[in-house]
Structures are given as C-alpha cells and as structure tokens.
Amino acid sequence: MGNIVMSNVLITGGAGFIGANLCERLLRNGDTVTCLDNFSTSNRENVAHLLGDPNFTLMIGDVRSTIRVDADTIYNLACPASPPKYQIDPVYTTETCVLGAINVLELARRTGARVFHASTSEVYGEPQCSPQPETYRGNVNPWGPRACYDEGKRCAEALFYDYSTKYNVDVRVARIFNTYGPRMHPDDGRVVSNFIVQALGGRPLTIYGDGMQTRSLCYVDDLLSGFEALMSGPSVSHPVNLGNPHELTILEIAELVIDLVGRPATIRRLPLPQDDPTQRCPDIGVARSLLGWEPRVAVEDGLRRTVTYFAGQLAASQPRRDRIAEAAE
C-alpha cells in the first residue's frame, strides 16, 4: 500500500450543511481542517462537536476579506445557497460569490494549493434541454431575483478558470445539483427540508406551482465522494456535474416524504416564484467517465436518514421551546 498523504485543508463556508459534513469526512481521513465561516446563514452547532479535535480549527471570518491560512488544499463552499436566504441581501450574495472567489484564488496562488469551487446547477437557469450537460451554456435571467446567486456563481467559475490560465492555479469546479441530508437547516427553504419539517410538524406541505417541476436529489455522502474523486484525480479543464440523474417531480418527493414520516398530510399550493427552474436533472456522463463516480444511495434510503435526523433535531429543541413558552406566560 502506498503512503497516505494528509492535507492541511481550508473549507470556506465550513459550518454550512455541505461544509460541516465535509469537515467531518476529512477529519476522519486524518486531514487537518480549518473551517472559515461568518455564520451569516450557517449554524455554529453544525461544527460544535468538532471543536475538541486537535486537527480542527474554527476561524470566524468572511471570504470577502483577504484570507491568511496555511493550506495546501482549499474547498470554497462559502455562499448563501437557499433562495430565501440569498435573496435577503443580493449584493452580499454577489460579493460573496465574486470577491470570495478572488480571495480564495489569491490564497491558492500564494500557497500553491489545489482549490475546489462549489458551483451550482443554477448556472443553467431555466434549461432548454434535459438532462443538462456541462457543455450547455444555460438560460439565466441576469437581473431577476435569483441573478445574484446564478450570475455570481457563473462569474466565479470564470474567475477560477482565468486564474488557472493566467497564474497556473490548480482548480477543480463542481456544478452541484440538489443535495440533501443531515445538517440541513430546517428553515433554509429547500424542498426536502421544507417537506420533512412540515410533515413532522403535522402541517400542510407547501408546493409551488402545479408540482410537476422536477428535481434530482443527491444524498450528501454521495456528493462528498464526488468532491474527493474530483480533487484526487488528474486536472480537469472544465466544470463537472455532480448530482443524481434520477429525476422526480416535486409531487413525487412530497409523497415519498409523507410515506416515510408516516403521518397523514395535506398539500398547500402557492404560486411558482419568479425564475424558479421547472426542470433540473444532471447529465453525469463526464463524472462517470473521468472520475468513476456516480451516486450510490437510493433516494428512499437517503430521505429516511434525513427524516430520522430532523426528527431528532426537532425532539431535542422541543424542551427549549417549552421553556421559552413557560417564561412568556
């Protein structure tokens, strides 16, 4: 067996849903991990259990400012990712995407680090083809309510490849499709967390539009395996889609969640938000051929694990809510 090379890893946005899961995985692998986060949309509790690990450092900071960390591997995950949160302050979202990319790339340029960028399927906008391959250039509204995120991520991709061309920075870019699993925030506005929290609380499940729009759900463990495959392999000169090619309608996802929660539930319908994509499905042919990667966790199994996680979180928070209610009486 060859020698295992450990890394000094910086994860920007490391206290977020995907970031916290990545921190845990890399620590298990024996890496030294620095988590940089300003907690604007993430949750400190996601990484609180890691603070006693001597190989873990929590750094409170903002990627919009210069970053000074000794790292040979960088994962750039910092950005509000749910529509309700990134639309609260669209200027902040754009700055995080663009200035954050520049600061991360400047750090990689100074240190010689290999740097991963978490892009998004939202760069495809409202697609005119499905599934979406990496060669599809997208159909994005550059001035609508989602533009801060969609165009911010598109600009960040351009910066990553410009730094690769001009400064020979070793960059890896993944376009992430809908991902779910433990450590999602219950109020982040994503379809899986919305449905599970509503179903566990005995509330109607909110569906926007007719519910026939589609999503492709990838369990977070599978996604992180894709990250590792992309970062450990040879250089790739273009973005790579990471997601589950199994397409489901929003109604089908709601029905799966209702079945797994095991409680009767009703559906509440609201108008479809502006520029909300009606179809989202990745073509993962490149990931299969170049990385040998594809999702392994069935949607039903991943949703069952996620329901169990949220049930535990809600049960743990109930005594606190009861104490608050008692104090208010």
Side-chain angles (χ1 to χ4, degrees):
M1 182 181 294
N3 293 328
I4 298 175
V5 178
M6 304 307 178
S7 293
N8 291 320
V9 184
L10 168 66
I11 304 175
T12 71
F17 155 50
I18 294 175
N21 280 283
L22 181 60
C23 286
E24 288 184 344
R25 176 177 286 224
L26 296 181
L27 288 168
R28 287 197 302 269
N29 291 349
D31 294 324
T32 299
V33 175
T34 298
C35 165
L36 175 69
D37 210 299
N38 66 359
F39 302 108
S40 61
T41 59
S42 58
N43 188 348
R44 188 185 297 262
E45 293 180 0
N46 279 345
V47 294
H49 64 295
L50 303 177
L51 293 175
D53 190 320
N55 290 326
F56 179 77
T57 301
L58 175 61
M59 177 181 294
I60 300 175
D62 194 318
V63 292
R64 295 178 300 166
S65 302
T66 300
I67 305 168
R68 293 182 175 86
V69 177
D70 181 19
D72 51 51
T73 304
I74 305 169
Y75 288 86
N76 182 40
L77 309 184
C79 188
S82 72
K85 292 186 177 180
Y86 67 63
Q87 291 175 29
I88 290 173
D89 187 344
V91 174
Y92 168 80
T93 299
T94 302
E95 289 177 345
T96 301
C97 289
V98 178
L99 298 179
I102 291 171
N103 287 321
V104 164
L105 287 161
E106 282 295 321
L107 175 63
R109 181 186 173 194
R110 293 193 304 269
T111 63
R114 178 173 294 180
V115 57
F116 172 100
H117 177 59
S119 189
T120 172
S121 61
E122 299 309 303
V123 300
Y124 298 122
E126 174 59 21
Q128 297 173 325
C129 67
S130 191
Q132 292 90 59
E134 291 87 349
T135 52
Y136 177 55
R137 295 183 180 180
N139 177 35
V140 175
N141 179 354
W143 56 269
R146 302 171 68 101
C148 58
Y149 185 71
D150 300 0
E151 295 288 25
K153 288 289 191 177
R154 286 164 69 94
C155 184
E157 284 194 11
L159 284 163
F160 267 73
Y161 290 108
D162 288 343
Y163 267 74
S164 175
T165 301
K166 185 173 182 179
Y167 301 118
N168 202 33
V169 175
D170 186 354
V171 306
R172 314 295 167 99
V173 176
R175 289 177 176 166
I176 300 170
F177 284 68
N178 294 80
T179 302
Y180 69 101
R183 307 203 185 284
M184 296 182 79
H185 196 285
D187 300 323
D188 69 1
R190 304 186 207 203
V191 61
V192 169
S193 54
N194 278 358
F195 284 168
I196 292 176
V197 171
Q198 288 168 345
L200 288 170
R203 305 196 304 273
L205 275 61
T206 303
I207 286 182
Y208 298 93
D210 61 9
M212 298 311 293
Q213 61 269 38
T214 68
R215 297 293 183 267
S216 303
L217 304 180
C218 184
Y219 190 65
V220 65
D221 287 359
D222 280 333
L223 181 75
L224 298 185
S225 295
F227 285 13
E228 290 181 324
L230 183 56
M231 283 294 271
S232 63
S235 178
V236 181
S237 60
H238 53 78
V240 177
N241 287 340
L242 294 179
N244 191 336
H246 177 51
E247 199 170 6
L248 294 168
T249 68
I250 298 295
L251 274 173
E252 288 173 329
I253 297 170
E255 290 165 357
L256 277 171
V257 169
I258 291 169
D259 287 344
L260 290 170
V261 171
R263 299 177 186 174
T266 59
I267 301 294
R268 180 172 68 121
R269 296 182 183 273
L270 294 175
L272 191 67
Q274 181 182 342
D275 297 332
D276 193 54
T278 56
Q279 193 167 31
R280 187 64 80 226
C281 182
D283 181 332
I284 62 168
V286 171
R288 283 189 174 117
S289 62
L290 291 185
L291 309 180
W293 176 89
E294 61 182 337
R296 304 292 183 188
V297 178
V299 172
E300 293 84 352
D301 293 339
L303 286 175
R304 185 175 293 107
R305 298 178 200 176
T306 310
V307 167
T308 299
Y309 168 78
F310 274 112
Q313 291 295 106
L314 294 173
S317 66
Q318 185 60 49
R320 183 168 64 249
R321 293 197 300 269
D322 290 343
R323 288 195 298 270
I324 293 171
E326 289 172 3
E329 290 178 353

